[in-house]
Amino acid sequence: MPQSRDRLPKTHVIRRTIAALREAGFEAEADLSTETRSTAEVEADRIARQQDRVEALESKADRRAAAAGAAWNRERAAVEALPEGGEPIKVGHHSEARHRRAIERAHASTRAAVAAENAAGEAAARAATAARTTGARYSVQTVANRIEKLGADIRRLERQIVDDTYDPERGYRPATEEEKARRARSAAPRLGELRDQLAYWEGVRAEHIATGKATNHSRETIKPGDAVRIRGHWRRVVRANAKTVSVETGYSWTDKAPYHEITDHRSAGGDAA
């Protein structure tokens, strides 16, 4: 099943698949496990696999670069074999066939060299992209956004456990303790997975803050009138909200940004840009 590595079983997909197989006359059974590796183990394995991929792509790029160099050498030799000075083909002369073959070899070698150069460039670009992947995954902005999403997912699941139940006859009613317990058991594997992921990425975020890669601003440190740097631009603070900061735009409206997007800060009494 696509995207199933280190994830809980997609039971709804598996159930539909089994039903379809049985309907088609096949015997199908499922033996599912909800045990997953810790996020730390998953991420370490992911980084190792990505490093192997980078090394493989870099080796491929080196091979294609060498092939392109050899192709250009053949192209140069083929061009140098042509008559000097762009001598025209002597139609009917005994040299005509040899001359035409030399031109075709030169054209073919040029096309091959250009194709080899393009292939080498593509391989180098793929290797460079792969080398940046892990860094992008662990960037300050990406980690902070991931923490926000994981927290939202956890809160949504927790709300679903205690949400009201819809009764076709009476409409919505408070869920019974038995219903809540059943929902909690059903949601437990996913909640455990999400909480483990959240703890891991919060550790990464804490390291970013400790090493100075990330700031740790909130409404306690940001006040109206302060200047903050967001996405490379300095903005004057209008309001410090619970999770976001409202800043001037130079127009009649304000923009909002989460606190983790603030990369620099100057108090209202400081030397603000």
Side-chain angles (χ1 to χ4, degrees), residues 43 54 62 68 76 88 118 127 133 138 153 164 184 215 238 246 252:
E43 287 298 316
V54 169
D62 290 341
R76 189 177 303 109
N118 291 339
T133 298
Y138 280 78
D153 289 344
D164 290 347
T215 58
V238 178
S246 299
S252 59

Side-chain angles (χ1 to χ4, degrees), residues 28-255:
E29 299 293 339
D31 182 13
L32 306 180
S33 171
T34 58
E35 294 182 3
T36 57
R37 295 188 298 171
S38 70
T39 304
E41 292 175 304
V42 171
E43 287 298 316
D45 187 40
R46 183 194 295 271
I47 291 171
R49 292 199 314 271
Q50 185 64 18
Q51 184 58 38
D52 291 342
R53 182 169 181 268
V54 169
E55 292 174 358
L57 287 173
E58 287 177 343
S59 296
K60 183 177 182 179
D62 290 341
R63 292 194 301 272
R64 288 196 171 181
W72 281 114
N73 289 335
R74 290 192 295 272
E75 189 270 349
R76 189 177 303 109
V79 171
E80 290 174 351
L82 294 171
E84 294 183 5
E87 181 180 340
I89 297 174
K90 298 174 181 177
V91 178
H93 191 265
H94 67 82
S95 64
E96 179 184 355
R98 183 174 66 253
H99 196 158
R100 290 187 184 279
R101 287 195 299 272
I103 291 175
E104 181 54 35
R105 279 196 300 272
H107 285 172
S109 62
T110 298
R111 289 192 294 270
V114 170
E117 184 74 21
N118 291 339
E122 179 183 354
R126 290 184 64 194
T129 299
R132 293 192 297 268
T133 298
T134 298
R137 181 172 176 79
Y138 280 78
S139 70
V140 169
Q141 189 67 44
T142 300
V143 169
N145 289 339
R146 186 175 291 117
I147 290 172
E148 289 288 331
K149 183 180 183 304
L150 287 169
D153 289 344
I154 291 171
R155 291 189 296 273
R156 184 176 63 253
L157 268 178
E158 290 173 338
R159 286 195 302 271
Q160 289 175 358
I161 293 174
V162 298
D163 273 350
D164 290 347
T165 299
Y166 179 73
D167 188 314
E169 296 179 356
R170 295 181 296 169
Y172 284 97
R173 60 168 175 77
T176 66
E177 292 303 319
E178 182 181 349
E179 288 171 331
K180 292 178 184 178
R182 184 172 62 251
R183 294 173 186 171
R185 287 193 299 271
S186 176
R190 179 59 177 157
L191 272 174
E193 182 182 50
L194 289 172
R195 286 166 179 160
D196 180 65
Q197 291 174 0
L198 180 62
Y200 176 83
W201 291 109
E202 284 179 338
V204 174
R205 170 76 175 165
E207 184 179 351
H208 284 172
I209 294 171
T211 57
K213 290 183 179 179
T215 58
N216 190 29
H217 291 295
S218 66
R219 68 191 315 174
E220 281 71 37
T221 60
I222 303 297
K223 304 299 179 185
D226 290 359
V228 292
R229 188 177 179 88
I230 299 173
R231 305 185 197 101
H233 300 282
W234 282 98
R235 295 286 186 263
R236 185 74 62 184
V237 175
V238 178
R239 288 183 303 278
N241 311 304
K243 294 185 177 181
T244 62
V245 59
S246 299
V247 295
E248 294 177 351
T249 61
Y251 300 98
S252 59
W253 61 86
T254 60
D255 276 345

